[in-house]
C-alpha cells in the first residue's frame, strides 16, 4: 500500500468520475453497538481492532494509527476534506481511532456509527480495485476477531440500511452541465427508486460544491456485493449520459458563452486578492471543464484540479498557516494560494 494519494493522480482530471470508493461497515460480536458503548468499552475495542490490523512486530507497517482526541481542529478538518473521515466521526465523543495507509487511500474509522468503517478510495473508475483493498483489511480483522453476523441477514449494523453486505459503493462525479438544467431535480427522485442516491461532496447531509456529487447505493440487505456494484455502475452510466447530453446541448448552442465563462473563471483565480470557498469551487469547476473538453488554452497546473479544490478548504489553509484563521483571513489566504497556482 504505497504511492501517491488518489487525489494527486492525473486520472482524476481525465473524465467526469474523479474517484471510486468502497466502504464496509462492521461490528464486533463481543461489544454492544456504538449507541450502547461506554467510554472504557470503546477505548478497549479501539485498541483491540487496531491491534488486529497492525499488531506490533507483525511487519504490517503500512498503517498509521491516529489519536483523534490529540489532534487539533484544523488537522481533524483536513481528514474530512480528504474524505478520510466522515462528519459524524469528527462529532464523536467516545474514544475513537483512525488508521490510515501510507498512501492515504485506505482508512479505517474505529467507533463511528459502527465499530469498524473500512474505506478504500481509488482514482477514476476503479470500484473493483477499491473493493480488493477494502477486503484485504476486512480479512486482517477477521483473522483474530469475530464480527456480528447473522446467517440470514448478514453483517449486523447500527443502521438497518447497512445490514447485509455492509457495503456502500460510491463514485465522486462532476456534473456541472446537468446541475444547470431543469431535469437535474427530476433525476434525483428517479434514481432513488432504484436504490441509488446522489449526495453532496462529503456524503450524507452535505451540499454539492463545484458541481461535485457522490452517487452511491442506499441499501445492502438482500443483495450481493457484485449486484450492488453493478447497479451503481449502471445508474452512474445513465446519469453520465444525461450529463453528456446537457454538455452537448450547451456547447452546441452557447460554446462562445461557455468559453467566456471559463476564461473569466481562470482570470479571477489567477488575480483575485480575496475569494470565498464557494466562489473558488465554482470557478475551479469551470476551469476543470475547460481542460477536460479542450476549451481552455492555458498551461495546466502541476496539481490536479480536485487536489486544488481540497487544499483551499478551511482545514488545509489553517494547517498550512499553523494557526486558526477567521473567515476573512482564510479568503485572503485562499486567493494567495490560487494565485501561486494559476498566475
Amino acid at each position: 500500500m504505497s504511492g501517491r494519494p488518489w487525489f494527486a493522480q492525473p486520472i482524476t482530471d481525465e473524465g467526469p468520475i474523479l474517484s471510486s470508493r468502497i466502504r464496509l461497515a462492521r461490528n464486533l460480536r463481543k461489544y454492544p453497538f456504538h449507541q450502547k458503548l461506554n467510554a472504557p468499552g470503546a477505548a478497549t475495542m479501539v485498541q483491540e481492532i487496531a491491534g488486529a490490523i497492525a499488531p506490533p512486530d507483525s511487519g504490517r507497517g503500512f498503517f498509521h494509527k491516529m489519536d483523534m482526541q490529540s489532534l487539533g481542529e484544523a488537522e481533524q478538518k483536513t481528514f474530512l476534506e480528504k474524505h478520510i473521515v466522515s462528519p459524524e466521526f469528527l462529532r464523536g465523543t467516545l474514544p475513537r481511532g483512525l488508521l490510515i495507509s501510507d498512501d492515504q487511500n485506505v482508512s479505517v474509522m474505529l467507533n463511528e456509527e459502527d465499530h469498524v468503517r473500512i474505506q478504500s478510495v481509488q482514482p477514476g473508475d476503479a470500484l473493483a480495485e477499491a473493493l480488493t483493498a477494502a477486503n484485504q483489511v476486512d480479512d486482517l480483522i477477521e483473522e483474530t476477531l469475530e464480527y456480528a453476523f447473522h446467517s440470514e441477514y448478514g453483517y449486523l449494523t447500527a443502521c438497518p440500511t447497512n445490514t447485509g453486505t455492509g457495503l456502500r459503493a460510491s463514485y465522486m462525479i462532476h456534473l456541472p452541465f446537468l446541475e444547470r438544467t431543469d431535469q437535474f431535480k427530476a433525476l434525483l427522485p428517479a434514481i432513488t427508486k432504484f436504490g441509488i442516491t446522489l449526495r453532496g461532496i462529503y456524503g450524507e447531509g452535505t451540499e454539492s460544491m463545484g458541481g461535485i456529487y457522490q452517487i452511491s447505493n442506499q441499501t445492502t440487505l438482500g443483495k450481493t456485493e457484485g449486484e450492488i456494484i453493478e447497479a451503481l455502475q449502471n445508474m452512474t452510466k445513465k446519469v453520465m449520459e444525461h450529463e453528456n447530453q446537457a454538455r452537448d446541448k450547451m456547447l452546441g448552442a452557447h460554446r462562445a458563452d461557455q468559453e467566456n465563462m471559463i476564461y473569466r473563471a481562470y482570470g479571477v483565480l489567477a488575480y483575485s486578492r480575496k475569494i470565498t470557498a464557494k466562489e473558488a469551487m465554482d470557478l475551479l469547476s469551470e476551469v476543470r471543464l475547460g481542460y477536460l473538453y479542450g476549451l481552455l488554452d492555458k498551461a495546466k497546473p502541476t496539481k490536479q484540479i480536485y487536489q486544488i479544490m481540497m487544499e483551499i478548504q478551511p482545514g488545509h489553509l489553517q494547517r498550512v498557516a499553523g494557526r486558526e484563521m477567521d473567515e476573512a483571513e482564510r479568503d485572503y489566504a485562499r486567493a494567495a494560494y490560487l494565485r501561486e497556482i494559476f498566475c
Side-chain angles (χ1 to χ4, degrees):
M1 296 185 183
S2 61
R4 289 182 295 173
W6 67 268
F7 49 79
Q9 299 194 34
I11 194 173
T12 61
D13 275 349
E14 295 176 5
I17 296 178
L18 285 78
S19 66
S20 305
R21 184 188 71 140
I22 292 291
R23 190 216 65 199
L24 301 177
R26 302 286 189 261
N27 290 279
L28 299 187
R29 182 178 294 276
K30 64 188 291 187
Y31 293 96
F33 281 151
H34 169 84
Q35 294 87 341
K36 295 293 184 179
L37 265 179
N38 57 28
T44 301
M45 183 194 69
V46 167
Q47 291 179 348
E48 190 170 5
I49 301 171
I53 296 173
D57 303 321
S58 66
R60 298 174 188 166
F62 44 77
F63 272 101
H64 305 278
K65 186 175 184 295
M66 312 297 294
D67 180 6
M68 299 304 295
Q69 285 76 11
S70 67
L71 298 179
E73 183 179 350
E75 190 165 10
Q76 290 193 32
K77 283 183 178 179
T78 63
F79 289 134
L80 174 64
E81 292 160 3
K82 291 180 179 179
H83 301 272
I84 289 173
V85 302
S86 65
E88 181 172 353
F89 184 71
L90 292 184
R91 290 192 294 266
T93 56
L94 289 175
R96 294 157 289 150
L98 175 66
L99 290 97
I100 309 174
S101 64
D102 286 337
D103 59 10
Q104 303 181 48
N105 294 336
V106 180
S107 61
V108 187
M109 288 181 285
L110 304 179
N111 203 27
E112 192 229 30
E113 183 179 68
D114 294 290
H115 298 159
V116 181
R117 286 286 178 96
I118 302 167
Q119 178 177 270
S120 171
V121 185
Q122 296 294 321
D125 186 356
L127 283 177
E129 292 85 345
L131 179 61
T132 296
N135 280 336
Q136 288 174 349
V137 180
D138 195 32
D139 292 342
L140 287 178
I141 298 173
E142 274 200 299
E143 285 179 6
T144 56
L145 300 174
E146 185 180 5
Y147 283 138
F149 185 85
H150 190 278
S151 58
E152 181 178 357
Y153 300 119
Y155 292 102
L156 303 181
T157 56
C159 180
T161 60
N162 293 318
T163 298
T165 62
L167 182 147
R168 182 67 58 87
S170 65
Y171 287 117
M172 188 184 297
I173 187 169
H174 191 205
L175 301 172
F177 288 110
L178 188 57
E179 189 179 56
R180 299 170 192 171
T181 67
D182 293 335
Q183 63 176 310
F184 188 73
K185 290 183 179 180
L187 184 65
L188 299 181
I191 67 173
T192 301
K193 295 178 182 178
F194 294 91
I196 305 294
T197 185
L198 205 60
R199 292 176 170 143
I201 191 170
Y202 296 116
E204 188 172 4
T206 66
E207 297 180 350
S208 165
M209 291 195 295
I212 295 176
Y213 294 84
Q214 287 188 24
I215 183 169
S216 66
N217 63 298
Q218 285 186 299
T219 59
T220 68
L221 186 62
K223 300 176 182 178
T224 66
E225 291 180 347
E227 289 170 341
I228 291 171
I229 290 175
E230 183 179 7
L232 175 63
Q233 289 173 328
N234 289 339
M235 184 55 67
T236 301
K237 182 179 179 180
K238 292 184 182 299
V239 171
M240 288 173 60
E241 288 174 356
H242 285 284
E243 168 70 10
N244 292 338
Q245 290 170 6
R247 177 201 64 201
D248 293 343
K249 183 177 180 180
M250 199 164 295
L251 291 182
H254 307 286
R255 185 181 182 90
D257 290 339
Q258 185 63 54
E259 288 180 345
N260 180 58
M261 290 173 61
I262 290 169
Y263 275 91
R264 286 171 65 89
Y266 189 97
V268 174
L269 292 171
Y271 296 106
S272 66
R273 266 34 185 183
K274 183 180 181 182
I275 191 168
T276 67
K278 183 182 186 308
E279 182 183 9
M281 288 291 287
D282 290 340
L283 296 174
L284 286 166
S285 175
E286 293 292 338
V287 168
R288 187 177 191 272
L289 289 180
Y291 289 125
L292 189 58
Y293 299 115
L295 302 173
L296 181 60
D297 185 20
K298 291 285 186 179
K300 192 175 184 302
T302 55
K303 291 185 177 182
Q304 312 312 308
I305 298 299
Y306 187 75
Q307 183 176 1
I308 299 169
M309 288 180 165
M310 186 183 67
E311 292 179 353
I312 63 169
Q313 300 306 316
H316 278 79
L317 292 174
Q318 292 177 142
R319 186 178 182 186
V320 170
R323 62 182 178 86
E324 294 290 322
M325 294 189 289
D326 61 30
E327 186 174 352
E329 289 177 307
R330 293 197 300 267
D331 290 348
Y332 284 113
R334 183 177 297 111
Y337 168 84
L338 290 168
R339 288 199 305 274
E340 289 184 11
I341 297 288
F342 290 100
C343 191

